[in-house]
Amino acid sequence: MRKKIIAANYKMNLTVNMAEEFVESIKSSINRDDIDVVICPNNTCLDRISNVLDGTNISLGAQNVYFETQGAYTGETSVDMIYSVGCDYAIVGHSERRQMFNETNEIINKKVKKIIEKDMNAILCVGETLEERESNKLYTVISNQIVECLKDIDSANIDKNLVIAYEPIWAIGTGVTATVAQAEDMCKFIRDEISKLYNESVSSKLRIQYGGSVNPSNAKEILTMPNIDGALVGGASIKNDFVAIVNYD
Ligand code: PGA
């Protein structure tokens, strides 16, 4: 039985004081021991939110990280740095980073490796555009993303240090959710791809999230599908809606 994992991606929202006040106000209601809950606020908030989460089962994650260890990389943040402020997770390959900041599968692969090297957990985002879906390229696109982003990564690290988030780009922040059948179909496809790349034992343990306009009214339907093991929540994660999503059952 795979443990569900629900992650909050605050994106570039909430200043430190706002994030602290918000997380403080909801933390007891999202503190479950049967579900892994991960809060990914802006980097400026990590240290303070880490203190707020002290003594809870809730984990902390960064929304991005750089693959170099240290040096002249102005504006970037290393894995050691996010680890030092209490992160266990980092989101990598979010479509906003792929589209706005030109992140390629090759760059994302380096980031995943660096996170694994530190024995932290990567939440690797994959997803297709509407055009790719409509022109029936979606399976090829997702398959390439998986193969390239996981290049040279050992099977032992797949179920241990990796979560994959399937996020159709057309469903992110648009209010349009993929139908549950579409979401399940793609999460199943991802699991089968992992099985082909590695083996069934690894793929059966890998946790796969769905992300894209998850809200309190669709959470239960999504989170009870056989191949969907959690959600990556954007817009609804900075509202009390997140409490309802985590308590979907
Ligand atoms: P959304 O974002 O829930 O606002 O659609 C999801 C995400 O970008 O991870």
Side-chain angles (χ1 to χ4, degrees):
M1 192 60 184
R2 295 181 293 266
K3 192 175 184 186
K4 295 256 188 276
I5 173 160
I6 301 180
N9 174 9
Y10 286 7
K11 308 195 177 184
M12 199 174 74
N13 292 297
L14 308 186
T15 61
V16 181
N17 288 347
M18 288 158 80
E20 188 176 49
E21 195 183 320
F22 176 61
V23 177
E24 188 65 62
S25 75
I26 63 163
K27 71 175 181 185
S28 62
S29 323
I30 58 168
N31 186 26
R32 296 184 59 152
D33 49 20
D34 57 340
I35 294 181
D36 287 332
V37 176
V38 186
I39 305 284
C40 306
N42 180 270
N43 278 357
T44 56
C45 305
L46 289 172
D47 196 25
R48 289 259 290 272
I49 298 301
S50 175
N51 291 334
V52 175
L53 297 180
D54 231 20
T56 72
N57 297 316
I58 306 163
S59 299
L60 188 67
Q63 298 170 16
N64 180 33
V65 75
Y66 198 51
F67 56 78
E68 294 289 357
T69 308
Q70 61 176 54
Y73 304 102
T74 303
E76 294 297 332
T77 307
S78 73
V79 168
D80 281 348
M81 287 168 179
I82 61 167
Y83 180 79
S84 74
V85 284
C87 286
D88 288 321
Y89 288 81
I91 299 172
V92 286
H94 191 279
S95 61
E96 284 152 18
R97 299 220 51 92
R98 291 177 187 261
Q99 294 192 315
M100 290 185 250
F101 304 98
N102 304 319
E103 280 197 16
T104 60
N105 290 335
E106 198 188 341
I107 293 173
I108 296 160
N109 176 245
K110 290 185 188 170
K111 294 185 176 189
V112 175
K113 284 181 183 153
K114 202 71 190 175
I115 292 165
I116 288 176
E117 212 177 275
K118 190 77 189 171
D119 204 15
M120 290 173 62
N121 306 291
I123 299 180
L124 167 66
C125 302
V126 297
E128 81 287 355
T129 62
L130 190 56
E131 197 208 326
E132 287 161 346
R133 175 170 279 268
E134 286 176 344
S135 57
N136 225 7
K137 291 195 199 114
L138 80 160
Y139 295 105
T140 318
V141 168
I142 302 294
S143 175
N144 285 346
Q145 288 176 348
I146 291 172
V147 171
E148 290 173 18
C149 294
L150 297 182
K151 189 165 174 278
D152 300 327
I153 290 172
D154 199 76
S155 66
N157 298 115
I158 296 297
D159 52 52
K160 184 163 173 275
N161 301 96
L162 186 79
V163 173
I164 295 184
Y166 168 61
E167 297 211 309
I169 295 168
W170 46 275
I172 296 178
T174 55
V176 182
T177 324
T179 65
V180 208
Q182 286 171 326
E184 166 64 16
D185 175 56
M186 290 315 292
C187 291
K188 164 102 178 40
F189 174 75
I190 291 167
R191 197 175 304 286
D192 291 344
E193 289 295 293
I194 295 293
S195 181
K196 276 193 242 159
L197 270 181
Y198 296 92
N199 57 56
E200 216 202 304
S201 149
V202 167
S203 77
S204 66
K205 287 187 221 124
L206 173 73
R207 294 187 292 177
I208 305 175
Q209 298 174 313
Y210 166 79
S213 299
V214 174
N215 61 51
S217 31
N218 59 27
K220 183 167 187 172
E221 213 185 359
I222 292 167
L223 289 163
T224 46
M225 294 308 281
N227 282 289
I228 305 179
D229 310 308
L232 180 53
V233 187
S237 74
I238 51 170
K239 302 188 218 153
N240 283 327
D241 283 358
F242 192 64
V243 172
I245 293 172
V246 171
N247 295 288
Y248 70 95
D249 55 346

